[in-house]
Amino acid sequence: MFSTDDTIVAIATPPGRGGIGVVRISGPHAPETAARLIAHGAGLEPRRATLTRILHHTASDQVIATFFPAPHSYTGEHVVEVSAHGSPVILRGIVEAAMAAGARLAEPGEFTLRAFLNGRIDLPQAEAVADLVDAVTPLQARAAFDQLEGTVTRAVGGIDAALFDLIAKLEASVDFPDEGYHFVQPGELTTAIDGLIDRTSALLASAARGRLVREGLQIAIAGRPNVGKSSLFNALVGSARAIVTDVPGTTRDLVSETVDIEGLRVTLVDTAGIRDSDDPIESEGVARARDSVRVADLTLLVVDEDEPADLGSTNYLLVQSKTDLGRPRRGVPVSALTGQGMDALRRAIAAALDVDPRRDPPAITNVRHIALVERAHAALMRARTACGAPEEFVLADLQAARAALEEISGRRVTDDLLAHIFANFCIGK
Ligand SMILES: Nc1nc2c(ncn2[C@@H]2O[C@H](COP(=O)(O)OP(=O)(O)O)[C@@H](O)[C@H]2O)c(=O)[nH]1
Ligand SMILES: [Mg+2]
């Protein structure tokens, strides 16, 4: 389904204007393609930035061209990168010139797909490229960068190698039945499987936190009218995004904003004050408030002087507002007016979610990886139960565990899955 025979081209920098913009050409004919659009094209020295000019009528610019010969390039193929002034007109012109010279416009993620197909990186590393580019907080970027360095594959690969060893011994026992459990003693088998289960458990233990780091989460701000929800929202966002008044029932629709709280990518949702109302618009606002509390990963339940609103949920952090007015101190005390208590609130949020940003980033964060480790873990548990039964049963479960782990690295992967993963990339990546 995927071909690496042709030469592809795309703008690698984001849309819009900037100091520089980069066009990337990759494939067997990248040097010849470059030769037809830039002076020096045929004589580009490997890995040396060369100041040259575009020759083609579709673009006029002075550019820096760099030739990365295969296999030591991003894609593992011949790559020529052309850095021009960051004008969409010029960059499009260079792409058109490359296409006139025989290159094809790259599909989203195709450069990284080729890096994977050519064995430069494995699938989790390719996925980490997308995560790194999409990162909103430094913690997200760090987790993605670790994975780009190969941490997922090392963690999973170690388990896979031990599993391979065990399967080989068991298969030998099955092939030479007269010798019984000669290659693996029954006690040794259960110990080995227990060891593997410990390792998948350890990976899964940090997975929930990993998923929150990668995907970000939603926090709703809820409570009775006028307790200071919108003020708190604005203080966390750092701008007067939501309307604040002393008229109860001001906020009706949901107002949301994405912020970095202790390294977490948080979508904060300010909601209407919860109370019974005859006003159909306000009632709709209250219904929406309840909806967002239901789907949120955590709710900040704001209280002023009265009893907390009944959320119908226990997954909340109680926040005492307006402490500058000498309010009683319940939950986490803050004043949106003076900013007092705001840092402590951010830390309390991270603690309530069990995501301490000072800890190392979790090893696995991607739901695809998490689901496959879960599948391997379940198969190992079945294998553990099957110990004592004929080896064939244990073997089948161990092989199922191994298949799941190999799907993570991409060693066993279908074209459909690859297409799905790379479809989420931008063009030029
Ligand atoms: N003194 C003081 N007033 C506050 C504070 N937070 C909110 N208020 C006031 O409380 C009223 C209601 O605030 P608002 O944020 O609109 O509450 P909401 O209805 O819960 O969204 C406004 O008059 C705010 O100025 C605070 O920390 N200190
Ligand atoms: Mg409000």
mmCIF file of all heavy atoms in Angstrom, residues 14 20 29 70 78 100 116 122 124 137-138 151 207 330 351:
data_model
loop_
_atom_site.group_PDB
_atom_site.id
_atom_site.type_symbol
_atom_site.label_atom_id
_atom_site.label_comp_id
_atom_site.label_asym_id
_atom_site.label_seq_id
_atom_site.Cartn_x
_atom_site.Cartn_y
_atom_site.Cartn_z
ATOM 1 N N PRO A 14 5.226 25.909 9.509
ATOM 2 C CA PRO A 14 3.783 26.158 9.614
ATOM 3 C C PRO A 14 3.297 27.187 8.593
ATOM 4 O O PRO A 14 4.073 27.994 8.103
ATOM 5 C CB PRO A 14 3.606 26.686 11.033
ATOM 6 C CG PRO A 14 4.949 26.989 11.555
ATOM 7 C CD PRO A 14 5.950 26.294 10.725
ATOM 8 N N ILE A 20 12.034 32.474 8.267
ATOM 9 C CA ILE A 20 12.381 31.498 7.248
ATOM 10 C C ILE A 20 11.259 30.485 7.101
ATOM 11 O O ILE A 20 10.407 30.329 7.978
ATOM 12 C CB ILE A 20 13.697 30.734 7.560
ATOM 13 C CG1 ILE A 20 13.621 30.038 8.904
ATOM 14 C CG2 ILE A 20 14.904 31.640 7.483
ATOM 15 C CD1 ILE A 20 14.770 29.074 9.143
ATOM 16 N N HIS A 29 15.091 10.459 -5.912
ATOM 17 C CA HIS A 29 15.512 11.468 -6.877
ATOM 18 C C HIS A 29 15.603 12.866 -6.278
ATOM 19 O O HIS A 29 15.591 13.850 -7.019
ATOM 20 C CB HIS A 29 14.541 11.482 -8.070
ATOM 21 C CG HIS A 29 14.450 10.139 -8.729
ATOM 22 N ND1 HIS A 29 15.534 9.536 -9.325
ATOM 23 C CD2 HIS A 29 13.427 9.266 -8.846
ATOM 24 C CE1 HIS A 29 15.176 8.341 -9.785
ATOM 25 N NE2 HIS A 29 13.903 8.152 -9.498
ATOM 26 N N ALA A 70 21.100 9.517 1.770
ATOM 27 C CA ALA A 70 20.632 8.298 2.427
ATOM 28 C C ALA A 70 21.860 7.524 2.923
ATOM 29 O O ALA A 70 22.903 7.576 2.278
ATOM 30 C CB ALA A 70 19.858 7.457 1.411
ATOM 31 N N HIS A 78 17.463 9.973 0.435
ATOM 32 C CA HIS A 78 18.086 11.236 0.087
ATOM 33 C C HIS A 78 17.101 12.354 0.444
ATOM 34 O O HIS A 78 15.927 12.286 0.065
ATOM 35 C CB HIS A 78 18.356 11.322 -1.426
ATOM 36 C CG HIS A 78 19.497 10.463 -1.876
ATOM 37 N ND1 HIS A 78 20.629 10.239 -1.122
ATOM 38 C CD2 HIS A 78 19.692 9.781 -3.036
ATOM 39 C CE1 HIS A 78 21.462 9.463 -1.783
ATOM 40 N NE2 HIS A 78 20.910 9.160 -2.949
ATOM 41 N N ALA A 100 7.236 20.240 -10.720
ATOM 42 C CA ALA A 100 7.524 20.297 -12.161
ATOM 43 C C ALA A 100 8.736 19.426 -12.480
ATOM 44 O O ALA A 100 8.859 18.892 -13.575
ATOM 45 C CB ALA A 100 7.768 21.743 -12.574
ATOM 46 N N PHE A 116 9.794 5.612 9.322
ATOM 47 C CA PHE A 116 9.383 4.348 9.937
ATOM 48 C C PHE A 116 9.575 3.176 8.964
ATOM 49 O O PHE A 116 10.182 2.158 9.301
ATOM 50 C CB PHE A 116 7.919 4.437 10.389
ATOM 51 C CG PHE A 116 7.315 3.099 10.742
ATOM 52 C CD1 PHE A 116 7.710 2.427 11.896
ATOM 53 C CD2 PHE A 116 6.379 2.500 9.912
ATOM 54 C CE1 PHE A 116 7.185 1.186 12.210
ATOM 55 C CE2 PHE A 116 5.846 1.262 10.223
ATOM 56 C CZ PHE A 116 6.247 0.598 11.374
ATOM 57 N N ASP A 122 11.001 3.561 15.131
ATOM 58 C CA ASP A 122 9.896 2.609 15.226
ATOM 59 C C ASP A 122 8.586 3.384 15.411
ATOM 60 O O ASP A 122 8.580 4.620 15.442
ATOM 61 C CB ASP A 122 10.142 1.577 16.331
ATOM 62 C CG ASP A 122 10.311 2.223 17.684
ATOM 63 O OD1 ASP A 122 9.846 3.366 17.852
ATOM 64 O OD2 ASP A 122 10.906 1.596 18.571
ATOM 65 N N PRO A 124 6.367 3.846 17.968
ATOM 66 C CA PRO A 124 6.209 4.795 19.078
ATOM 67 C C PRO A 124 7.044 6.060 18.887
ATOM 68 O O PRO A 124 6.641 7.143 19.322
ATOM 69 C CB PRO A 124 6.717 4.007 20.295
ATOM 70 C CG PRO A 124 6.548 2.582 19.922
ATOM 71 C CD PRO A 124 6.777 2.513 18.439
ATOM 72 N N THR A 137 2.324 21.934 26.895
ATOM 73 C CA THR A 137 3.053 22.260 28.123
ATOM 74 C C THR A 137 4.452 21.635 28.061
ATOM 75 O O THR A 137 4.667 20.657 27.353
ATOM 76 C CB THR A 137 2.332 21.706 29.372
ATOM 77 O OG1 THR A 137 2.474 20.281 29.384
ATOM 78 C CG2 THR A 137 0.853 22.071 29.372
ATOM 79 N N PRO A 138 5.404 22.180 28.837
ATOM 80 C CA PRO A 138 6.754 21.599 28.859
ATOM 81 C C PRO A 138 6.749 20.136 29.302
ATOM 82 O O PRO A 138 7.546 19.343 28.794
ATOM 83 C CB PRO A 138 7.492 22.473 29.883
ATOM 84 C CG PRO A 138 6.755 23.779 29.876
ATOM 85 C CD PRO A 138 5.319 23.427 29.611
ATOM 86 N N THR A 151 12.077 5.403 24.704
ATOM 87 C CA THR A 151 11.761 4.816 26.019
ATOM 88 C C THR A 151 10.634 3.790 25.961
ATOM 89 O O THR A 151 10.671 2.792 26.672
ATOM 90 C CB THR A 151 11.373 5.909 27.036
ATOM 91 O OG1 THR A 151 10.416 6.770 26.412
ATOM 92 C CG2 THR A 151 12.574 6.715 27.464
ATOM 93 N N ALA A 207 0.181 4.482 33.699
ATOM 94 C CA ALA A 207 -0.459 4.774 32.416
ATOM 95 C C ALA A 207 -1.588 5.797 32.534
ATOM 96 O O ALA A 207 -1.750 6.650 31.662
ATOM 97 C CB ALA A 207 -0.983 3.490 31.787
ATOM 98 N N ARG A 330 -12.758 26.799 54.194
ATOM 99 C CA ARG A 330 -13.071 25.396 53.907
ATOM 100 C C ARG A 330 -12.328 25.023 52.646
ATOM 101 O O ARG A 330 -12.186 25.843 51.747
ATOM 102 C CB ARG A 330 -14.575 25.216 53.672
ATOM 103 C CG ARG A 330 -15.416 25.577 54.876
ATOM 104 C CD ARG A 330 -16.876 25.680 54.518
ATOM 105 N NE ARG A 330 -17.160 26.874 53.715
ATOM 106 C CZ ARG A 330 -18.397 27.239 53.345
ATOM 107 N NH1 ARG A 330 -19.428 26.505 53.669
ATOM 108 N NH2 ARG A 330 -18.585 28.318 52.622
ATOM 109 N N ALA A 351 -2.305 17.503 42.702
ATOM 110 C CA ALA A 351 -2.325 16.420 43.686
ATOM 111 C C ALA A 351 -3.628 15.634 43.590
ATOM 112 O O ALA A 351 -3.631 14.400 43.637
ATOM 113 C CB ALA A 351 -2.145 16.992 45.091
#
